[in-house]
Amino acid sequence: MNLIDFDYDLPVELIAQEPTNKRTESRLLVLDGKSGEYQDKEFINLIDILQPKDLLVFNDTKVIKARLFGRKESGGKIEILIENFVSRSVVLAQIKSSRKLNIGSKIILPSGNIVTITNNLNNMFILNFDCDVHLYVHKFGEIPLPPYIKRRQNMIDIDRYQTIYAKKEGAIAAPTAGLHFSKEYLRLLEKKNIQYDFLTLHVGAGTFLPIRSSNILEHKIHEERIIISDELCRKVAETKNKGGRVIAIGTTSLRALEAASVSGDIKSCDCKTDLFIYPGYEFKIVDALLTNFHLPKSSLLLLVSAFAGKDNIFSAYKHAIQEKYRFFSYGDAMFIKLG
């Protein structure tokens, strides 16, 4: 499979730069992954598509203020994107700089604190802070908006680039399908007796990284931590036994569910996964997926192409562009069902 086969042209004006006024105001493109047929709806119509036997699985990861700014000792600007906290003073991070940075280089933060580069692991840097990095991030860090949002964060993003059920800190990008849900909408699910539960996948820097190899099979996904409880496993098995659908809210939930089911049955875990889903993958757990629209030539576009079929996805995307749907993190939603 060649990467060029998963490219498409997207007018820049369709890349959503701001969230809608209300979380539930987005549009919804419903795609039948078997027939390829699609329908234009509103997100609020999702409740009419769901059934009492269904189980919705949300990702309750919480986005940390992982973007920091500083300068080199020579004065050049530096941008840091934290991937993982190693300790109270050490992190694994990406660094944007106009020139190569060497081990031992110092980064001066706006507060006057100093960060030292102690190692380089495949373009991910080990950084040593001279202060408590957790406290520093909470005070000075910014929400790491995706690079296609061409502005710095504002006060709205602090609320809206976070799901209303976000609980466990550790992500550097939001599980964006969940951004469409409000507290009122969750109450609608409960009123209709539709079950939902949570898992955790801490979205890492890999979500921003493009596929660089023309041969898709050479691409490697960065490891991300997943946490799946015994209770969720029980609910998944119960849903399957009753003939209900396991519906992943977002590609992160889907990847976590599938990664925990390599043996065929879902198992509870607290582990890391680098599962890369592309066309040809056989899904074991997930029956339907709520997701946003994804970037050309991205691993997530390959994932949805595996789930619904490449031709079906590209036909639906072409329609979405013609109908001026809003794309990517703050954009509209897509519900993909398998029959």
Side-chain angles (χ1 to χ4, degrees):
M1 286 181 288
N2 293 318
L3 184 60
I4 193 65
D5 296 330
F6 294 87
D7 195 9
Y8 67 90
D9 293 322
L10 179 69
V12 68
E13 64 268 19
L14 296 185
I15 301 175
Q17 297 295 309
E18 304 283 347
T20 52
N21 290 330
K22 294 182 179 179
R23 289 181 181 270
T24 56
E25 283 183 347
S26 293
R27 298 164 72 188
L28 179 70
L29 182 60
V30 179
L31 172 64
D32 188 318
K34 294 294 185 183
S35 69
E37 296 178 353
Y38 43 77
Q39 296 176 296
D40 296 305
K41 293 184 177 292
E42 302 295 324
F43 180 77
I44 56 173
N45 300 135
L46 177 65
I47 194 75
D48 302 318
I49 301 170
L50 302 176
Q51 303 161 5
K53 289 183 180 180
D54 292 339
L55 171 66
L56 276 60
V57 182
F58 295 92
N59 181 5
D60 66 2
T61 189
K62 188 172 185 178
V63 182
I64 59 175
K65 294 180 178 179
R67 179 165 285 143
L68 307 175
F69 297 91
R71 60 179 174 84
K72 293 184 282 188
E73 291 176 289
S74 61
K77 293 181 180 180
I78 294 285
E79 180 180 329
I80 298 171
L81 183 62
I82 295 173
E83 168 80 3
N84 280 318
F85 294 101
V86 178
S87 70
R88 299 299 298 190
S89 61
V90 178
V91 301
L92 179 68
Q94 293 183 54
I95 298 179
K96 285 186 181 180
S97 172
S98 59
R99 293 188 179 181
K100 183 179 178 181
L101 292 165
N102 298 316
I103 294 174
S105 296
K106 307 288 186 183
I107 300 170
I108 304 169
L109 300 175
S111 62
N113 292 99
I114 304 295
V115 178
T116 304
I117 300 174
T118 61
N119 207 348
N120 183 348
L121 307 172
N122 297 319
N123 294 318
M124 296 290 282
F125 294 87
I126 299 293
L127 306 180
N128 195 329
F129 285 64
D130 69 351
C131 60
D132 188 316
V133 65
H134 294 263
L135 296 178
Y136 186 91
V137 163
H138 279 286
K139 187 172 183 179
F140 297 107
E142 288 192 6
I143 294 289
L145 295 177
Y148 47 76
I149 294 180
K150 303 299 183 182
R151 59 176 177 80
R152 295 276 292 269
Q153 74 158 44
N154 57 38
M155 293 303 294
I156 293 173
D157 297 312
I158 294 173
D159 173 53
R160 294 296 299 278
Y161 196 66
Q162 200 82 267
T163 63
I164 54 102
Y165 47 80
K167 183 178 180 181
K168 299 173 183 173
E169 286 194 342
I172 66 166
T176 55
L179 299 180
H180 301 284
F181 289 85
S182 64
K183 292 179 180 179
E184 293 76 17
Y185 209 88
L186 291 184
R187 284 195 285 269
L188 282 179
L189 296 179
E190 294 166 1
K191 190 174 181 180
K192 195 174 177 180
N193 295 318
I194 296 168
Q195 281 196 98
Y196 62 86
D197 205 343
F198 304 91
L199 54 72
T200 305
L201 183 147
H202 290 314
V203 189
T207 194
F208 294 138
L209 298 179
I211 297 177
R212 301 189 186 281
S213 173
S214 59
N215 181 354
I216 288 166
L217 302 183
E218 294 176 358
H219 182 64
K220 302 296 182 185
I221 299 257
H222 279 95
E223 285 188 335
E224 295 169 313
R225 184 184 177 193
I226 59 173
I227 305 169
I228 293 179
S229 67
D230 289 330
E231 176 66 9
L232 176 58
C233 293
R234 182 191 66 77
K235 288 182 179 179
V236 167
E238 190 177 81
T239 298
K240 292 286 190 181
N241 290 336
K242 290 181 178 179
R245 297 178 297 180
V246 175
I247 299 174
I249 305 303
T251 55
T252 59
S253 292
L254 183 149
R255 284 186 64 241
L257 288 167
E258 293 294 322
S261 309
V262 290
S263 65
D265 295 321
I266 190 168
K267 306 289 185 183
S268 61
C269 62
D270 183 346
C271 58
K272 291 185 177 181
T273 182
D274 60 357
L275 178 64
F276 179 25
I277 297 177
Y278 51 83
Y281 178 86
E282 294 186 8
F283 291 87
K284 304 171 184 67
I285 296 295
V286 178
D287 303 298
L289 169 68
L290 180 79
T291 185
N292 283 19
F293 294 93
H294 302 293
L295 278 73
K297 298 193 289 188
S298 66
S299 61
L300 298 183
L301 184 60
L302 267 69
L303 183 153
V304 294
S305 294
F307 193 70
K310 177 180 177 292
D311 290 344
N312 292 341
I313 287 293
F314 273 71
S315 176
Y317 271 48
K318 181 179 180 181
H319 171 80
I321 292 169
Q322 290 173 342
E323 296 299 316
K324 299 189 184 305
Y325 276 71
R326 301 166 73 247
F327 275 62
F328 307 156
S329 291
Y330 276 148
D332 294 316
M334 189 174 189
F335 183 73
I336 306 173
K337 55 183 181 177
L338 300 183

